[in-house]
Structures are given as structure tokens and as C-alpha cells.
Amino acid sequence: DSGVTQTPKHLITATGQRVTLRCSPRSGDLSVYWYQQSLDQGLQFLIQYYNGEERAKGNILERFSAQQFPDLHSELNLSSLELGDSALYFCASSAGQTSYEQYFGPGTRLTVT
Amino acid sequence: ILNVEQSPQSLHVQEGDSTNFTCSFPSSNFYALHWYRWETAKSPEALFVMTLNGDEKKKGRISATLNTKEGYSYLYIKGSQPEDSATYLCAFILTGGGNKLTFGTGTQLKVEL
């Protein structure tokens, strides 16, 4: 158990809908990261927040957005969902901004039908 | 596009064998190299974070080396055990990129009795 929690574990929704994935980092960690793992691709970095502020951005679609709240939990919002958004979404956390180990949560499996 | 390449893609070894994998990454603007262990149906688990050329790290039977000038890292497993069966991922961070990890597709290791 890494200490990172993610909810929900599974999510099934229809195309065009909007969902919110939630992540609570390990106690004391200030950085939160979101990753997407699709069937045909490896882990893809989406976005990083550090102490409430966006720090780095990957190939995150405009339909996706994220934020980190004052209590350091983070939410990833996915809207206008398409079949291709079906994937495993991981959240990770680390103590600092760079070069620290990242601790991964159990992931949220999103299925868009 | 900056990519990380891992080889081999998969490996089958017998219990007790020692093995090693390679991770190749861009040597320009290098900041850090991470190794993760990812078991099926679980989340990635951090093994090592390395930043300095010539770094060597060890955790039990697993060790890693880093050559930032030529852009490669080796992961070694001594005396492989069935519980070592997993996918081993490496990921790099470039300077100025926040803590954005770019992952390879991994080496899948299967240790047989």
C-alpha cells in the first residue's frame, strides 16, 4: 500500500458524459501527478500539481482538466468523453517538485461505452 | 519527440539466474532517471531515482547504474526469484520539465521455477 488513494476504483459511463476522478496523496506529499495508461500505450504523463499550483503539463487533452485543493487532494475532470478515453488513470504523489520517488495509487479504471 | 527505449521487451529466465535490462534515454538536458517495478493488477512501485553520472543504487538483489553522458541505465537482478516477475519501467526527467516523467514501455520479466 503506497498511501495514495484513488476513487472510484471503476467507472463505467457513456460517450459525451463528464466524470471526476479523485486522488488523495500520501500524508506530507505536496506534489500530485496524473497518468493515463491506455491499452495500446505505456504510461502517459498528463499533469503535475505542486502545493496547489500547476507545475508541468503533458499531452493532456483540452477536454480534461485538473486541480489540487488546499487540503492537497486532487481531482481530474474528464468531459465530452469518447470511447478512446477508456483507460486506467493513475495518480501519484511525491514529497517535492523534482527528483523524488513517485508513489502510485491503485488507479481508476474508466470504461466509456 | 524525446523517447526512452527499453530492452529487451520481455525476458524469461529460470529461478536463480541473474539478469539485466537496458534503458536508453536522451542525454541532453538530463535531470533524473527513475526505475519502477509494476506487477500485474497492481500499481507501479518505485525502485530507484538516480541523478548523477556514475550513480549506482542497490535494494536487496536489485541494483542499477547510470551513465548520463551516453544516455543509458542498467537494472540488474541477482539470483532471480518467481516473485521478481513483473514489468520493469524506466522513466526520465529533463531539466526545466518540472517532474514530468516520460516512461518507456518496460521490460516484462518472467521467472520460472
Side-chain angles (χ1 to χ4, degrees), chain A residues 2 33 35 37 42-43 45 48 55-58 88 90 94 96-106, chain B residues 31-32 34 36 38 42-49 51 59 89 93 97-105:
Chain A
S2 66
Y33 313 81
Y35 293 89
Q37 202 233 347
L43 275 170
F45 170 81
Q48 176 201 0
R55 273 291 182 261
K57 213 166 183 176
L88 190 53
F90 283 107
S94 70
Q97 291 192 66
T98 56
S99 81
Y100 290 87
E101 292 176 349
Q102 294 186 20
Y103 295 87
F104 281 74
Chain B
Y31 187 80
H34 290 221
Y36 287 85
W38 193 359
K42 294 188 178 180
S43 48
E45 173 195 348
L47 288 174
F48 306 113
V49 177
T51 56
K59 190 182 280 191
L89 298 169
I93 300 173
N99 210 11
K100 174 188 171 181
L101 280 171
T102 300
F103 279 90
T105 51

Side-chain angles (χ1 to χ4, degrees), chain B residues 16-34:
Chain B
D17 287 349
S18 292
T19 187
N20 64 85
F21 325 131
T22 304
C23 170
S24 300
F25 53 87
S27 55
S28 300
N29 302 315
F30 171 85
Y31 187 80
L33 192 284
H34 290 221

Side-chain angles (χ1 to χ4, degrees), chain A residues 14-63:
Chain A
T15 53
Q17 295 298 304
R18 172 191 167 96
V19 297
T20 298
L21 313 185
R22 184 188 168 102
C23 168
S24 292
R26 289 188 326 155
S27 176
D29 282 358
L30 298 178
S31 273
V32 169
Y33 313 81
W34 286 97
Y35 293 89
Q36 179 192 56
Q37 202 233 347
S38 305
L39 269 176
D40 56 347
Q41 292 189 13
L43 275 170
Q44 300 289 317
F45 170 81
L46 295 177
I47 199 162
Q48 176 201 0
Y49 281 84
Y50 176 77
N51 205 19
E53 292 188 10
E54 184 183 304
R55 273 291 182 261
K57 213 166 183 176
N59 297 324
I60 186 167
L61 298 172
E62 283 191 15
R63 299 184 285 109

